[in-house]
């Protein structure tokens, strides 16, 4: 089998409209959320490229859009491109979502970036009363950033969820 690399496009996790292979995990998370037993902090760890961040974006979209017109489809684990939350996540404008990831121009995630999470968490919620923080590539947190983040994770507010994606071969 030959793969046409000229016409192959690699989409970032936030732009993946379809989720594959995580059906059981997704359904388990949904049950926990609706029973109000979803942990405030969820660590997704594994090999880079295994779909952890895609899973996180899909579940985050489910949480943010379950009362919207074009909500997340649990039947086929897909995001509707007309979904309002999806559009605002892609544009980094959703008021209840904060993304922390490594900057391609810097080696580590610095403490100033983690302090921005605190500013976000101190603001009131806009919709549904939940706040979501996604930390992608957590292995790039330096020691100061990790310590500042740990303090935030130890005392989360109600209805605040942290998804931490860590790429690890071990």
């Amino acid at each position: 089998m030959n793969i046409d690399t000229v016409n192959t496009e690699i989409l970032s996790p936030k732009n993946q409209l379809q989720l594959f292979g995580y059906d059981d995990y997704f359904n388990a998370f949904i049950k926990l959320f609706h029973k109000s037993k979803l942990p405030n902090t969820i660590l997704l760890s594994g090999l880079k490229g295994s779909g952890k961040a895609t899973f996180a974006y899909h579940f985050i979209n489910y949480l943010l859009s379950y009362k919207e017109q074009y909500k997340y489809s649990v039947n086929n684990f897909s995001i509707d491109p007309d979904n309002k939350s999806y559009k605002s996540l892609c544009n980094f404008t959703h008021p209840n979502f904060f993304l922390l990831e490594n900057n391609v121009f810097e080696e580590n995630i610095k403490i100033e970036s983690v302090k921005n999470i605190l500013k976000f968490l101190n603001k009131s919620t806009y919709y549904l009363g939940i706040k979501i923080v996604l930390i992608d590539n957590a292995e790039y947190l330096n020691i100061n950033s990790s310590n500042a983040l740990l303090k935030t994770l130890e005392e989360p507010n109600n209805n605040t969820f942290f998804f931490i994606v860590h790429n690890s071969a071990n």
Side-chain angles (χ1 to χ4, degrees):
M1 175 169 85
N2 292 336
I3 298 175
D4 183 5
T5 57
V6 174
N7 293 321
T8 302
E9 179 183 1
I10 298 175
L11 297 174
S12 70
K14 74 175 178 188
N15 294 323
Q16 296 280 348
L17 296 177
Q18 192 74 37
L19 181 65
F20 299 101
Y22 284 90
D23 306 9
D24 293 337
Y25 292 112
F26 202 93
N27 288 325
F29 277 40
I30 289 172
K31 287 178 186 173
L32 288 171
F33 175 70
H34 288 292
K35 290 180 181 178
S36 298
K37 293 186 177 188
L38 186 69
N40 289 89
T41 304
I42 297 169
L43 174 64
L44 303 170
S45 184
L47 294 174
K48 186 169 183 67
S50 61
K52 301 174 304 297
T54 302
F55 173 82
Y57 273 106
H58 274 253
F59 193 71
I60 289 167
N61 183 269
Y62 171 82
L63 294 176
L64 294 175
S65 73
Y66 76 92
K67 291 187 178 181
E68 293 178 1
Q69 181 178 5
Y70 301 105
K71 64 184 179 180
Y72 186 86
S73 173
V74 180
N75 295 333
N76 59 1
F77 301 98
S78 65
I79 298 172
D80 189 313
D82 293 324
N83 176 297
K84 184 176 134 186
S85 289
Y86 169 71
K87 289 179 180 181
S88 60
L89 282 176
C90 286
N91 294 325
F92 303 104
T93 58
H94 200 290
N96 292 13
F97 176 75
F98 185 90
L99 174 65
L100 176 63
E101 61 184 344
N102 62 313
N103 183 332
V104 294
F105 302 111
E106 296 179 9
E107 187 175 323
N108 293 314
I109 299 173
K110 300 195 187 263
I111 194 168
E112 292 80 23
S113 300
V114 175
K115 287 180 179 179
N116 289 332
I117 293 175
L118 299 174
K119 291 177 188 174
F120 166 75
L121 294 175
N122 287 326
K123 294 179 183 175
S124 61
T125 60
Y126 172 71
Y127 178 68
L128 296 175
I130 62 174
K131 288 186 180 182
I132 298 172
V133 176
L134 173 60
I135 302 169
D136 198 2
N137 299 314
E139 64 273 14
Y140 289 104
L141 289 163
N142 65 29
I143 191 73
N144 295 327
S145 304
S146 297
N147 288 335
L149 180 62
L150 182 61
K151 196 170 195 175
T152 304
L153 295 176
E154 287 174 343
E155 301 170 8
N157 297 333
N158 288 341
N159 292 323
T160 299
F161 299 98
F162 292 87
F163 291 87
I164 303 172
V165 177
H166 181 265
N167 297 309
S168 171
N170 301 331

